[in-house]
Amino acid sequence: MTTPMTHRPDRTHGPLHRIFSGLKPTGHLTLGNYLGAVRRWVAEDQHRADALFCVVDLHALTVEHDPARVRRLTRQAATLLLAAGLDPRLCTVFVQSHVHEHTRLSYLMECTASDGEMRRMIQYKEKAAREAGRGGSVRLSLLTYPALMAADILAYGADEVPVGDDQAQHVELTRDLALRFNQRYGQVFTVPRATVPRVASRVMDLRDPTSKMGKSHAETSGIIYLLDEPDTVRRKVMRATTDSGAAGDVVHDRENRPGVANLLDILAACTGGAPGDLAAGYSSYGALKKDTAEAVVEMLRPLRERHAELSADPAQVDAVLRAGAERAAALARPRVDAAYAAVGLMPPVAAEAVVPAGAAPVPSGSSGPSGFSGSSGFSVTSVTSVTVDPVAGG
């Protein structure tokens, strides 16, 4: 792997548009994650903006979990992002919990949000009902995690957040919180916007084509994981649910033929064709399944090979994540310090102000405790007009 973070998109004409997005390590990454998000990050987003991509491991703690599995899946997700083609010379790849500014800002977002806003989140309602239905307790973090998600985004001054349509509501909440905070305390945060991937990139479960292909589903027979062996991919595709109808009637009709439409969408995403045009070339479901399976296998082959190479040398991945976290922290800290100052929190006492008898004073400019000026260079005396360098630490 090349030396991290040396050739970023050109900034000579002013600050770059900034993108933030992330993946939660609650399961093995799927074909849906790749086609719906990661491929676009690789092909487009890292080239056109100052892009930060994060494995949001703290979000995996909102439900019952195995700590060792979370660690394992976090590393696997980071390795897969690099294997897929995210280039640390162009973008910033890091792990959420490695940058403390996320949790520092999260509490301020909880203090800005209302209980009603949190309880209206569709994902909270669905996940809480699921937890209660199986007799489990609902963790408070499941209710409040949209505040952490808002902090993830706002800490970096992101202009744009590529998300699936199931997360668009959370970005709308983030916008509301940014506006409310700015109105109450001064202009600190950029108000971001969500960008939802094209409908054609939405991949449905092969066995239940009315449901999204999700990495956390208990039933896995309809889910293609990025690290599935080729024969496993073929078996899953060949067993995909198709639809009742006349034999050989292959049409792209998401409403009435969701199973066949899903296969055509996947084939189109792998080959670059149009689903409707591809349908005209098939007279049987079997032939469609066979071609779709082979297209998926070939598309994932280089990713799996690169993942194996990176996994054999974990120090490479560690170096990228370490450098990514350092840059992310440098970008986020000034803005989070400004937010702390804006809400009226007292800055840490400078080291030179508390000098034990007989001890030499700390030289001016030395780093003090994390947070506020002294470590960030922000003035805490002006909270109504805070200026944040959008490319600090770049």
Side-chain angles (χ1 to χ4, degrees), residues 139-308:
R139 299 187 180 193
L140 179 61
S141 56
L142 189 61
L143 176 65
T144 61
Y145 94 86
L148 176 57
M149 183 173 175
D152 297 337
I153 298 164
L154 297 179
Y156 298 101
D159 304 284
E160 181 182 337
V161 188
V163 292
D165 53 9
D166 58 335
Q167 291 291 336
Q169 187 187 30
H170 289 156
V171 181
E172 285 304 310
L173 174 65
T174 300
R175 289 173 55 84
D176 292 341
L177 297 182
L179 288 167
R180 187 177 306 152
F181 189 100
N182 289 346
Q183 289 166 358
R184 288 177 179 175
Y185 307 114
Q187 294 296 314
V188 174
F189 296 121
T190 299
V191 180
R193 63 184 179 89
T195 53
V196 179
R198 293 176 290 274
V199 173
S201 295
R202 184 176 176 87
V203 180
M204 311 305 284
D205 190 291
L206 294 173
R207 300 306 297 270
D208 178 11
T210 62
S211 299
K212 180 181 173 182
M213 186 180 285
K215 59 181 178 292
S216 303
H217 291 180
E219 174 54 55
T220 63
S221 62
I223 301 171
I224 296 175
Y225 296 106
L226 298 186
L227 296 179
D228 275 348
E229 294 290 337
D231 284 348
T232 301
V233 173
R234 294 184 181 101
R235 182 171 63 254
K236 288 179 177 179
V237 175
M238 294 307 293
R239 293 176 179 175
T241 298
T242 48
D243 312 294
S244 59
D249 186 12
V250 178
V251 294
H252 187 259
D253 183 345
R254 288 196 184 97
E255 183 175 351
N256 298 308
R257 302 285 179 84
V260 174
N262 189 39
L263 291 171
L264 289 167
D265 285 339
I266 293 171
L267 180 60
C270 293
T271 63
D277 295 339
L278 291 171
Y282 291 95
S283 59
S284 71
Y285 294 158
L288 172 61
K289 288 181 176 181
K290 182 178 179 181
D291 285 357
T292 301
E294 293 307 317
V296 172
V297 166
E298 289 308 309
M299 183 185 67
L300 295 183
R301 189 184 303 280
L303 184 151
R304 295 179 67 253
E305 291 173 352
R306 181 61 177 147
H307 177 270

